[in-house]
Amino acid sequence: MTHKVTLIEGDGIGPEVVRSTRKIIEATGVDIKWDLCEAGAEVFKRGLKSGVPEETIESIKRNRVVLKGPLETPVGFGEKSANVTLRKLFETYANIRPVKEFPRVDTPFKGRGIDMVIIRENVEDLYAGIEYMRTPGVAECLKLISRKGCEKIVRFAFEFARSEGRKTLHCATKANIMKFSEGLLKKTFEEIAPEYPDIEPHHIIIDNCAHQMVRFPEKFETIVTTNMNGDIISDLGSGLVGGLGLAPGANIGNGIAIFEAVHGSAPKYAGKNVINPTAVLFSGVMMLRHLGEFEAAMTIEQATLATLEEGILPKDIAGEGPSTSTTDFTDAIIANFGKTSSAWKARDYKKIKVPEVDKRPDIVRSKTAECIGVDVYIDSPLFSEELGQKLRALTANTDFDLKMISNRGVQTFPSAGTMPDVVDLWRARFTAKNGASTDRSKVRNLLECIEKDHKWTDTKLLELIDGEEGFTRAQGEN
Ligand code: NAP
């Protein structure tokens, strides 16, 4: 069968590592028709602001599988990274980062048998890039996490663990602090876990996960986590096993898969024939498994490990010792086809079943949603007591009581006895009088009263969703 793959060589060291990978893959005899496309620095320089030409997008839409080298955003050209553009355009919601010990690579963790895969949600969370300057001195970044996003990544993680015969899956969150956003991943994980009885589910708080990854890295098999947590722990993972020359990755969406190394274009090494192609090569190995070419994937994986075991080492691994060039390393791997590693236990891989999740925007619906108040954000130089008294007087004839004011999440009015340092963005929480429900017209009336004397900058309705509070309380609020 002929596979069609969009090939982006990329910038800096990109062409060297991608050509090495292509040569090794072709040597296995797998039939791939490469569609060579452009993206990155040269495209930006021609004036295309996205760094990704239409022909490349069309090729990806047609082929649905991409092998790419690193792309750089040259200073002074374009504002957005072409990498991020590709991930967002194709909604590649799962970022996969295998973390496995390599032979002959000296690290403080050598011999511990590290073999984990980190699965990071790749499109939601703080990385949606929705930011505001709320006052001249207070910045905000929205952390959006959806049930749909959680369901996609959790199901993907279980399917992935199953496809590689992994027996445990850790879900790493900060649900103890961010009960709704990070908590949604935990809740979704706990609800879906029973559908995968062959995989042992564990929830772990992300900071403890980082700590345990360093103390007992061998105990993790698969970790699923939110975008920001995943960004950090996947780099921690790369560090455990020896650095960027050895860190492959994949970005998977529904029907689209982009395989690329974690590293960038390392411009200082471009054209010098000294860098390690293993990270892109092992991304290519992941691609071969995605295409169902398990035998070729295993041949390359084992030949590469055998090559390292023979002491044929690229410079980043060899350090001060004798090292091999990128092209000689490539040829040595091909010459070692058929050899197997003495240390790396081969897994029994299966094709991953990318789960389908309902496409409708509102996959979770409530039976009831009752508005019981509103938080009004106010940009004010006043201190809490004065602001509170003024707001009470101003809003006395509305349908609301001022329940409290908080500053950066801590109640300051009425004083809860805390001593927070304060900034000029206040949250005034108004609840409907006598515990009644309220509506948007009454909220508009409240805002009109407030804006007579104060600058409100944002509102958030306080809702009971199916009888449960759809908002959190401030520190000190009862
Ligand atoms: P980088 O290109 O990843 O390089 C950082 C360092 O990592 C290199 O100087 C080198 O370390 C080591 N390294 C990276 N790849 C290696 C390899 N294949 N073999 C051996 N050593 C390797 O990071 P950067 O210098 O911060 O970024 C350069 C450009 O790449 C930037 O424009 C950035 O935006 C872009 N970038 C692109 C992607 C992507 O396309 N996915 C990802 C990250 C960065 P030593 O100096 O210690 O030898």
Side-chain angles (χ1 to χ4, degrees):
M1 169 187 187
T2 306
H3 305 283
K4 291 186 181 148
V5 173
T6 301
L7 187 71
I8 300 172
E9 291 191 335
D11 303 317
I13 59 169
E16 290 164 72
V17 282
V18 169
R19 282 171 202 166
S20 156
T21 299
R22 178 177 174 171
K23 186 172 179 188
I24 295 168
I25 290 177
E26 285 177 349
T28 64
V30 170
D31 189 3
I32 296 184
K33 190 168 173 303
W34 305 98
D35 193 1
L36 194 59
C37 287
E38 265 191 308
E42 291 311 312
V43 181
F44 280 117
K45 287 180 188 164
R46 287 206 304 270
L48 197 68
K49 291 227 171 338
S50 65
V52 188
E54 200 47 47
E55 308 85 76
T56 303
I57 293 170
E58 284 309 314
S59 166
I60 298 173
K61 279 187 189 157
R62 265 194 323 273
N63 299 328
R64 306 197 147 254
V65 181
V66 184
L67 180 65
K68 72 175 271 293
L71 305 179
E72 73 183 54
T73 314
V75 178
F77 297 87
E79 288 167 16
K80 298 273 181 201
S81 139
N83 293 304
V84 179
T85 301
L86 282 174
R87 279 176 219 152
K88 294 222 160 149
L89 272 181
F90 295 105
E91 182 81 19
T92 50
Y93 63 84
N95 177 258
I96 310 173
R97 293 257 204 110
V99 176
K100 190 164 163 107
E101 217 179 302
F102 280 83
R104 299 295 289 259
V105 179
D106 270 327
T107 73
F109 301 94
K110 198 172 168 185
R112 297 281 289 270
I114 299 175
D115 179 9
M116 69 179 103
V117 176
I118 297 167
I119 297 171
R120 162 188 172 193
E121 200 290 323
N122 213 16
V123 289
E124 297 198 332
D125 199 354
L126 296 163
Y127 291 62
I130 308 169
E131 293 197 292
Y132 301 94
M133 286 309 296
R134 298 295 308 282
T135 76
V138 182
E140 177 186 74
C141 177
L142 286 187
K143 181 176 171 80
L144 289 179
I145 307 259
S146 70
R147 167 73 193 204
K148 194 191 231 182
C150 290
E151 216 169 301
K152 280 158 81 170
I153 198 69
V154 166
R155 287 190 185 283
F156 182 88
F158 275 111
E159 292 291 347
F160 184 91
R162 201 174 252 181
S163 77
E164 296 208 342
R166 294 174 184 270
K167 296 291 171 218
T168 64
L169 174 61
H170 281 81
C171 173
T173 76
K174 196 71 187 169
N176 52 330
I177 302 294
M178 288 165 268
K179 295 191 188 332
F180 287 166
S181 54
E182 291 277 322
L184 197 49
L185 185 70
K186 178 174 185 280
K187 187 166 181 260
T188 309
F189 177 75
E190 286 165 352
E191 282 173 17
I192 289 175
E195 295 177 33
Y196 295 87
D198 47 327
I199 295 160
E200 209 179 288
H202 298 276
H203 176 261
I204 186 166
I205 300 292
I206 185 66
D207 36 342
N208 184 31
C209 181
H211 164 238
Q212 301 281 333
M213 274 175 73
V214 175
R215 292 204 66 204
F216 310 108
E218 63 282 357
K219 84 173 192 186
F220 292 99
E221 281 195 286
T222 332
I223 303 175
V224 62
T225 188
T226 48
N227 205 340
M228 173 97 167
N229 294 332
D231 195 3
I232 298 166
I233 64 162
S234 49
D235 267 32
L236 167 56
S238 311
L240 292 174
V241 293
L244 289 174
L246 300 162
N251 295 299
I252 311 279
N254 279 92
I256 297 271
I258 303 176
F259 297 87
E260 62 176 336
V262 172
H263 65 71
S265 60
K268 69 179 177 190
Y269 294 125
K272 298 206 169 120
N273 197 20
V274 292
I275 36 76
N276 186 350
T278 306
V280 171
L281 179 60
F282 274 46
S283 308
V285 166
M286 291 166 83
M287 179 188 82
L288 289 172
R289 293 205 171 102
H290 176 84
L291 295 171
E293 297 287 356
F294 295 103
E295 207 180 308
M298 191 63 81
T299 300
I300 295 174
E301 196 171 76
Q302 291 295 323
T304 308
L305 300 167
T307 306
L308 294 172
E309 282 171 1
E310 286 171 6
I312 303 172
L313 307 174
K315 185 145 187 16
D316 59 329
I317 305 177
E320 295 307 309
S323 64
T324 183
S325 67
T326 311
T327 44
D328 285 351
F329 186 62
T330 304
D331 293 338
I333 292 171
I334 296 170
N336 275 340
F337 276 7
K339 289 193 183 162
T340 52
S341 159
S342 56
W344 181 308
K345 195 172 141 281
R347 287 185 173 276
D348 182 17
Y349 293 94
K350 293 188 197 66
K351 206 166 164 126
I352 180 162
K353 223 175 79 204
V354 179
E356 277 296 325
V357 172
D358 196 335
K359 288 224 168 4
R360 286 172 302 177
D362 55 343
I363 65 166
V364 185
R365 295 196 195 91
S366 64
K367 289 194 185 71
T368 60
E370 182 191 358
C371 180
I372 56 163
V374 61
D375 279 350
V376 182
Y377 286 81
I378 296 173
D379 172 352
S380 171
L382 299 178
F383 279 93
S384 191
E385 187 59 33
E386 187 180 353
L387 181 64
Q389 297 302 350
K390 288 194 162 163
L391 283 174
R392 276 210 167 134
L394 264 178
T395 59
N397 294 326
T398 67
D399 292 280
F400 296 89
D401 289 322
L402 174 63
K403 182 168 184 248
M404 64 109 202
I405 297 177
S406 71
N407 198 284
R408 290 184 295 170
V410 180
Q411 180 170 326
T412 54
F413 177 87
S415 170
T418 54
M419 293 183 293
D421 193 8
V422 293
V423 298
D424 55 2
L425 182 67
W426 303 91
R427 174 173 58 153
R429 175 159 286 180
F430 291 92
T431 49
K433 277 186 173 141
N434 306 319
S437 38
T438 184
D439 60 37
R440 282 169 172 73
S441 69
K442 289 176 181 158
V443 169
R444 278 195 291 275
N445 181 40
L446 174 75
L447 294 176
E448 277 170 22
C449 289
I450 294 173
E451 71 193 13
K452 284 181 191 146
D453 268 345
H454 302 280
K455 180 180 167 192
W456 64 267
T457 62
D458 196 6
T459 59
K460 296 266 190 268
L461 295 182
L462 304 178
E463 287 193 313
L464 294 180
I465 298 169
D466 289 334
E468 303 260 338
E469 290 185 352
F471 52 89
T472 56
R473 305 221 165 197
Q475 289 288 335
E477 181 186 356
N478 291 313

